[in-house]
Amino acid sequence: MATVGNSYLSLADLRKQQNKNDEVADIIEIMAEQNDMIADAPTFECNEGNSHLTTIRAGLPAPTWRKLYEGVQPTKGTTTQVRDTTGFMEDWSEIDAKLVEKAKNPAKFRMNEAKAHIMGISQELGRTMIYGDTATDPEKFTGLAARFGDTTADNGNQIIDAGGTGSDNTSVWFVTWGEQTCHLLYPEGSQLGIRRKDLGVETKEKSDGSLYEVYREKFGMDVGLSVRDWRAIARVANIDVSDLTADAATGADLIDLMIDAYYQLDNPGMANGNTVIYTSRTIAKFLHKQAMNKTNVELTLEEFAGRKVPMFLGHPIRRMDSILETEAQVT
C-alpha cells in the first residue's frame, strides 16, 4: 500500500520542509500526535479566496447504437457545483514575565506552555473535521457527519447501518484522501497550518489599576474541508458500543459491516488517493484484539507511520478520539 503523503502535501510534510525552524516543526508534530487525520490529510489552497469551488460530474452522456444511414442526436453530460468554505480559529496565551525569566530555558518553557494551546486547536480541528456543521455553527466548516448523515440522500448508499438506536452509537469512517477525493483547505494567499505569533512582553493593567508584564502569544489557523467525490468516503453508522461483542453473537458484526462499507468506495487505495479508516478508541481496541486472532484474515497487524496498527484489507485503522461514542441514530 502507498504511504499517505507520498503524492500530496500534508501538514506532516510541511514539518519536514521547515525543519530548520524548530518552532514550526514542533507545532506540527504536536498537532499530528493529537489528531491522526492531520498527518494523513493532504492540504490544498482554496481556488476562490476563502472558499473552494468543485465541479462534480453528475451524469454521463449516453451513446446511441446507430444504424446505417440514420443520424444520432447530440448528448451531453451533466455537472453540479459544490462550494466548501473555510473557518478560522484563534487563541491567546499570557504568561507572567517573571515566571518566564525564572526559567532556565525561557524559549523551551514558553514552547511547553504553548503546547496546551496547540493541542486545544488540534482537538477542535479533529472534532470539526467529523462533526462541523455550518447550518448550526456558520463560523466553522462542514465536517463529514453533516455530509453523510442521511440515508435517503443522494450519497445515502455510502452509509452502512449497523442497527444501533438511541444515542450511544459510534461510527467507523473510510476516507480516501486525495486531490480529487477529499482534502483539507486553507484560504488563498494565507499560511498553511497553524500560526504562532510571538507578541513579546506587554504591560497588562488590572481592574484596580495595578500593572504587571506578560509574554503574550497569538495562535491561529485558517482551515476547511473539501469532499470532491462522495464515493471516496463510506460510513458505518449506528454501531451500538454497549452491544458490541467479540463473536458478534449480539450487536453489530463489525467486520461484515466494514466489508460492506469497503465495497461502497470507488477504487479504494488506487491512484485517486489513499484510503485510511478512522474509529473511536473503543472500536480501535476491539479491532486490534481481533487482528491478533490469526483466523481473522481481513485484519492484520502491520507497521504504519512508525507504529504497529491494525490493517483492514490492507488499509490502516487509525484511532480518532474526536469520534464520539454518544452519536444519535443516523436514519
Side-chain angles (χ1 to χ4, degrees), residues 85-152:
T85 60
T86 57
F88 60 93
M89 287 184 281
E90 284 189 1
D91 194 11
W92 291 75
S93 168
E94 290 182 348
I95 308 173
D96 194 301
K98 181 61 68 176
L99 191 61
V100 175
E101 292 162 4
K102 285 180 174 292
K104 291 184 178 180
N105 187 334
K108 184 176 181 180
F109 173 77
R110 292 184 67 193
M111 186 65 213
N112 286 337
E113 291 297 307
K115 284 182 178 180
H117 297 272
I118 297 167
M119 290 179 182
I121 290 176
S122 177
Q123 290 178 8
E124 176 59 26
L125 174 59
R127 286 190 291 268
T128 308
M129 289 174 77
I130 302 295
Y131 299 109
D133 188 351
T134 55
T136 55
D137 297 295
E139 68 278 7
K140 298 183 180 182
F141 61 84
T142 300
L144 296 176
R147 302 172 192 254
F148 297 85
D150 183 354
T151 58
T152 65

Side-chain angles (χ1 to χ4, degrees), residues 3-19:
T3 302
V4 172
N6 274 0
S7 303
Y8 306 106
L9 181 66
S10 68
L11 292 179
D13 295 321
L14 179 65
R15 172 184 173 271
K16 296 174 185 176
Q17 292 182 13
Q18 298 183 342
N19 58 10

Side-chain angles (χ1 to χ4, degrees), residues 1-10 13 16-17 39-44 177-181 183 269-274:
M1 175 189 170
T3 302
V4 172
N6 274 0
S7 303
Y8 306 106
L9 181 66
S10 68
D13 295 321
K16 296 174 185 176
Q17 292 182 13
D40 299 337
T43 308
F44 295 93
W177 299 110
E179 184 175 8
Q180 301 301 323
T181 53
H183 57 79
M270 302 298 286
N272 61 334
N274 298 290

Side-chain angles (χ1 to χ4, degrees), residues 27-85:
I27 287 173
I28 296 173
E29 185 171 10
I30 293 165
M31 292 187 72
E33 286 175 356
Q34 297 297 312
N35 182 347
D36 282 334
M37 276 191 172
I38 287 180
D40 299 337
T43 308
F44 295 93
E45 187 177 39
C46 289
N47 56 22
E48 288 197 357
N50 292 324
S51 63
H52 197 70
L53 186 65
T54 298
T55 300
I56 299 173
R57 175 64 64 188
L60 296 174
T64 300
W65 291 96
R66 187 175 75 85
K67 295 180 181 180
L68 292 175
Y69 305 108
E70 291 189 3
V72 174
Q73 291 291 336
T75 62
K76 66 176 182 178
T78 57
T79 60
T80 185
Q81 290 188 318
V82 175
R83 184 177 298 278
D84 291 302
T85 60

Side-chain angles (χ1 to χ4, degrees), residues 157-169:
N157 288 337
Q158 303 303 111
I159 303 172
I160 307 301
D161 188 356
T165 58
S167 58
D168 58 347
N169 303 306

